[in-house]
Amino acid sequence: MGLQTKPLEASMKVGSGTVVKRAKKNGSFSFQAKVRKNGVNVSQTFASLKEAKEFITLTDSKILKGESVSALKAKKITLGEIFQDFIEGEPSMPLIKKQRLAKITEEIGNVPLANFKTKGFQDYINFKLAQEIPDQKTKKKEYKGFDGNRTTNAKGEVVKKTYKSSTIRKFYYDIRTALKWHSKINDYHFDSKPFDDVDPPPSWENPRTRRLEDGELDRLIQACEQLYVNVEASKCLIQFLTFSAFRIGETMLIRWKDIKLNEKKPEESYIFIPKAHQKIARKKGAEDRYASMRPELFHLIKNQMMKWKKSDDDLIFPFWAGPHYFYTRFRIICKNAKSVNLTLHDLRHEACSWFFENSTLSDIEISKITGHIELDTLKRYANLRPHKVGAKLWASLERK
């Protein structure tokens, strides 16, 4: 028989609450008292069972009298405890948000809520905006073709990247959402002053303007020859993104049944992108897209990709488990093609630019293809086709 060990945790019912007894590494115990009643959800940890029971009894009494049971405790609780309660109280929270809250907890989790003030919050946001992205803890060596958290500056030096303002903006709202949630659940006043005084970092501070250089697409295609696997698929995906203006995430979810090719009238061909597959699915105004194809995309699918089709329900790009895998592959392709500071999203930017430069489609018509909800985002492309605007103007004058 194996050795039997004492349970590390045991719970007991006390009135309307519960006491959880936990064993510590030093052999002692802690007693966490939890009360959930009439919309009140509070907990506190004590060194003795007696104190835990007294807390539950006192809390019960305050609830019956309609008194607030959390105001005093809220001053002592740390931000880390609040974040943990928030995670446990929202089981459907996305993993990426849990990871951000874990990172925030490492950095400011020991700060008591009573000490969370404007100056400290502003200092934290400023620190994060200037912080270099650290190496992964599990990183042991550099890998060929993978620059990870490094970039090349204007002097040609390889330096560590800093966090984007859009990333720190998520940190900002994660903290705000967690504190607001905790105050609501525990019935105390939410202090919005730090958030009123500190502006959230911009979501799009410096829009990228990177375009493909002359011959760069050909270099990327040629660089795929140096890959060990999925050579032709990689070539097609790069071209697909460059011609379609689609996001990589929604592209990876396209199935053959979503592609409608009309060989007799190719101009009527389109690709169906359901709302649920789009990054902006939860935003107001999001809708299913029936994206028309430019000629290059039509011929790419018809002449090079159709040979992969086996079933209408198959993905058109089943060669990678998801976008993340091709992100890393694309870095290697760019390195082999000697393409500096190029990202997968830049291919979408290139495709959007093409529509403005080579078509007379309106902004709304282009947005139906690209999936932009906010037309203000497309205004950045307006200066790409002044000759098109002039042609429309002269054409309208000649008709008079």
Side-chain angles (χ1 to χ4, degrees):
M1 295 179 61
L3 294 175
Q4 293 184 350
T5 58
K6 294 181 179 180
L8 298 177
E9 183 175 299
S11 62
M12 64 190 77
K13 189 73 176 175
V14 178
S16 64
T18 304
V19 175
V20 179
K21 178 182 178 181
R22 293 190 176 93
K24 295 183 178 181
K25 291 182 179 180
N26 62 6
S28 63
F29 296 91
S30 66
F31 299 85
Q32 183 184 30
K34 297 182 179 181
V35 178
R36 299 191 181 206
K37 182 177 180 180
N38 297 343
V40 175
N41 177 10
V42 294
S43 65
Q44 192 165 335
T45 300
F46 300 91
S48 70
L49 177 60
K50 180 182 177 182
E51 290 176 304
K53 288 181 176 180
E54 289 176 348
F55 172 81
I56 292 176
T57 302
L58 179 60
T59 301
D60 271 340
S61 175
K62 287 189 174 184
I63 292 174
L64 290 173
K65 293 178 183 179
E67 299 177 4
S68 172
V69 299
S70 303
L72 181 61
K73 182 190 173 214
K75 296 180 181 180
K76 300 179 180 179
I77 195 170
T78 65
L79 298 183
E81 291 174 302
I82 291 176
F83 298 150
Q84 186 58 40
D85 285 348
F86 182 40
I87 292 173
E88 293 177 357
E90 297 290 330
S92 62
M93 183 184 296
L95 176 60
I96 186 65
K97 188 169 184 175
K98 292 181 181 178
Q99 292 172 336
R100 287 199 302 268
L101 286 169
K103 180 65 177 177
I104 297 170
T105 300
E106 286 182 13
E107 296 173 335
I108 59 172
N110 62 345
V111 175
L113 179 60
N115 294 347
F116 183 71
K117 304 295 183 182
T118 295
K119 184 179 184 305
F121 186 40
Q122 183 69 74
D123 289 345
Y124 176 66
I125 294 298
N126 291 341
F127 161 74
K128 293 299 294 182
L129 288 170
Q131 183 184 21
E132 293 181 343
I133 301 176
D135 292 328
Q136 293 183 353
K137 294 180 180 179
T138 57
K139 182 176 180 180
K140 296 181 179 179
K141 63 178 181 179
E142 299 288 343
Y143 289 91
K144 180 182 179 182
F146 185 76
D147 54 10
N149 58 347
R150 288 168 172 75
T151 187
T152 303
N153 62 18
K155 299 180 181 179
E157 302 168 330
V158 177
V159 296
K160 280 191 174 182
K161 294 178 182 177
T162 56
Y163 287 106
K164 294 180 180 179
S165 63
S166 58
T167 299
I168 308 309
R169 182 184 179 89
K170 292 184 177 72
F171 280 55
Y172 176 102
Y173 282 109
D174 285 342
I175 296 171
R176 186 179 187 277
T177 303
L179 299 190
K180 194 169 185 179
W181 175 90
H182 196 265
S183 68
K184 180 180 179 180
I185 292 295
N186 292 284
D187 191 28
Y188 63 86
H189 174 68
F190 169 64
D191 182 10
S192 66
K193 190 175 186 303
F195 303 96
D196 296 336
D197 295 342
V198 178
D199 292 329
S203 58
W204 200 356
E205 187 174 17
N206 296 307
R208 287 179 63 85
T209 58
R210 178 72 157 88
R211 295 281 306 275
L212 289 178
E213 302 168 355
D214 289 342
E216 189 168 21
L217 178 58
D218 291 334
R219 296 205 316 270
L220 292 170
I221 301 304
Q222 185 61 36
C224 292
E225 294 288 349
Q226 299 182 48
L227 300 176
Y228 294 109
V229 295
N230 298 326
V231 173
E232 293 304 316
S234 298
K235 291 180 180 180
C236 287
L237 180 52
I238 290 172
Q239 293 177 86
F240 190 98
L241 295 172
T242 306
F243 299 152
S244 68
F246 293 169
R247 303 176 181 90
I248 179 65
E250 61 195 21
T251 297
M252 290 284 194
L253 295 174
I254 297 174
R255 299 183 183 276
W256 286 109
K257 64 183 178 183
D258 300 323
I259 296 181
K260 309 300 181 183
L261 293 183
N262 188 332
E263 296 190 28
K264 293 183 178 179
K265 294 183 177 181
E267 67 276 8
E268 295 182 2
S269 300
Y270 64 89
I271 300 175
F272 174 63
I273 308 290
K275 172 184 171 181
H277 291 178
Q278 301 178 46
K279 181 181 179 181
I280 42 81
R282 296 185 179 181
K283 291 188 177 181
K284 184 178 179 181
E287 59 185 13
D288 294 341
R289 287 181 7 236
Y290 299 84
S292 299
M293 304 181 205
R294 57 188 266 195
E296 294 92 334
L297 182 57
F298 175 88
H299 292 300
L300 173 71
I301 296 172
K302 177 178 178 292
N303 299 328
Q304 298 184 51
M305 295 174 55
M306 285 296 292
K307 61 187 176 184
W308 299 328
K309 180 180 178 181
K310 295 181 180 179
S311 167
D312 283 345
D313 290 325
D314 289 342
L315 296 170
I316 65 171
F317 288 109
F319 311 98
W320 303 275
H324 174 74
Y325 289 87
F326 194 74
Y327 274 120
T328 57
R329 186 69 57 226
F330 189 69
R331 291 193 186 103
I332 295 174
I333 293 171
C334 288
K335 184 176 182 65
N336 293 336
K338 294 182 171 52
S339 290
V340 179
N341 192 29
L342 183 70
T343 69
L344 266 180
H345 196 75
D346 291 332
L347 302 184
R348 173 171 161 84
H349 174 61
E350 176 66 30
C352 291
S353 300
W354 185 94
F355 285 116
F356 278 87
E357 292 175 332
N358 297 280
S359 78
T360 56
L361 296 175
S362 67
D363 290 6
I364 292 179
E365 289 170 331
I366 292 176
S367 72
K368 297 295 183 182
I369 298 174
T370 63
H372 287 93
I373 289 182
E374 299 175 3
L375 294 183
D376 283 348
T377 306
L378 289 177
K379 287 182 179 179
R380 59 184 292 211
Y381 299 99
N383 63 346
L384 296 175
R385 59 176 184 190
H387 59 292
K388 298 290 184 181
V389 177
K392 283 186 176 181
L393 175 62
W394 280 80
S396 64
L397 293 174
E398 290 173 356
R399 287 194 296 267
K400 292 182 177 181

